[in-house]
Amino acid sequence: MKIALIAHDRKKDLMVKMTLAYKNILEKHQLFATGTTGSRIQEATGLPVHRFKSGPLGGDQQIGAMISEDELDMVIFLRDPLAAQSHEPDVTALIRLSDVYEIPLATNIGTAEILIRGLEAGFADFREIVHETDNRPIAWE
């Protein structure tokens, strides 16, 4: 699976702690992250992380482009709901794209842990099955 990891400034420490706690699960997948978040994850865990630009400089949009091209399977975006973000429209667009393309998205640590543990248990395997069959999303009814 291809997983994007994004964290606002006040959530970066929490993202690092989460990736350390779940390193044994995350090391089996391809990781992508915005600038500083990716650097901090790499330094703390030693995991390979493809780094994009920082969020305010277009990193959120780069990840959104991957979503729209069906090149991402999961997004963990630890947002800071109490701080104004200069790139809030980009954040909103990324969340909207995750909904449009039915990409599992966590915006807080509680949901992130459930997604990661579900990933380990195989609950997200439907995305791989879809890619193996006809590369089209499942139309849920």
Side-chain angles (χ1 to χ4, degrees):
M1 294 271 181
K2 296 178 180 179
I3 304 168
L5 303 169
I6 310 163
H8 283 150
D9 288 344
R10 294 195 309 194
K11 299 293 182 173
K12 289 187 190 321
D13 289 341
L14 186 58
M15 177 66 82
V16 168
K17 289 176 184 176
M18 184 197 73
T19 56
L20 281 167
Y22 293 107
K23 179 181 176 181
N24 64 323
I25 297 170
L26 294 173
E27 68 188 359
K28 300 171 190 166
H29 304 278
Q30 287 182 272
L31 304 179
F32 300 83
T34 50
T36 306
T37 302
S39 294
R40 300 232 0 232
I41 291 168
Q42 282 179 316
E43 289 170 14
T45 66
L47 294 171
V49 179
H50 176 88
R51 291 177 46 227
F52 292 110
K53 295 179 180 186
S54 71
L57 298 178
D60 296 337
Q61 291 179 341
Q62 289 176 297
I63 290 174
M66 284 189 73
I67 292 170
S68 70
E69 294 296 325
D70 199 25
E71 294 177 5
L72 268 181
D73 298 299
M74 183 177 291
V75 177
I76 297 175
F77 189 168
L78 300 184
R79 298 177 63 222
D80 183 353
L82 301 178
Q85 303 295 328
S86 62
H87 62 294
E88 192 62 36
D90 297 337
V91 171
T92 302
L94 182 63
I95 292 169
R96 184 180 57 79
L97 284 170
S98 295
D99 287 342
V100 167
Y101 291 95
E102 299 175 344
I103 302 297
L105 166 71
T107 59
N108 62 65
I109 192 67
T111 308
E113 286 189 284
I114 289 170
L115 284 183
I116 291 172
R117 306 241 352 198
L119 184 66
E120 179 184 34
F123 297 154
D125 288 352
F126 78 93
R127 293 202 46 81
E128 290 180 347
I129 294 166
V130 169
H131 288 289
E132 290 173 6
T133 56
D134 62 0
N135 203 28
R136 288 182 293 165
I138 296 170
W140 299 105
E141 296 178 8

